[in-house]
Amino acid sequence: HLGRQTGGLSRIIDRGTRGINFILTSAVFNVIPTALEIGMVGGILTYKFGPSFGGLTMATLAAYIAFTFSTTQWRIQFRREMNQCENVGNSR
């Protein structure tokens, strides 16, 4: 009975549930409204100032998104290592 490590499994399930909740909340309240706003602002800038200005704005935004995504991917390795260490510590 002592070797079952049920605390570790409970912690993993809890972390997964919190992760799904975070993703859904972020999508509904952050990502979707922001994407809608970006599309509308890009359309307005293109209409008012021409396609070159609208394209430049969208290219700048795309560069920012690419940088943010690559930085986040780099940080994930540290988060995974932290989660593994936490799993080992909680299952003892």
Side-chain angles (χ1 to χ4, degrees), residues 53-74:
F53 191 77
L56 179 64
T57 303
M58 290 298 131
T60 303
L61 188 58
Y64 172 74
I65 291 169
F67 172 75
T68 302
F69 184 76
S70 65
T71 303
T72 302
Q73 292 300 316
W74 173 74

Side-chain angles (χ1 to χ4, degrees), residues 15-90:
R15 190 180 300 132
T17 303
R18 283 186 285 134
I20 291 171
N21 185 34
F22 174 75
I23 288 171
L24 291 175
T25 303
S26 294
V28 170
F29 295 113
N30 293 328
V31 175
I32 294 171
T34 302
L36 181 64
E37 181 182 4
I38 289 169
M40 291 173 62
V41 168
I44 292 169
L45 288 174
T46 301
Y47 178 75
K48 288 284 195 180
F49 301 108
S52 61
F53 191 77
L56 179 64
T57 303
M58 290 298 131
T60 303
L61 188 58
Y64 172 74
I65 291 169
F67 172 75
T68 302
F69 184 76
S70 65
T71 303
T72 302
Q73 292 300 316
W74 173 74
R75 288 182 60 229
I76 284 176
Q77 65 184 339
F78 303 114
R79 184 74 178 188
R80 285 187 180 144
E81 183 180 340
M82 182 190 70
N83 287 340
Q84 287 174 350
C85 292
E86 185 178 338
N87 287 343
V88 170
N90 286 333

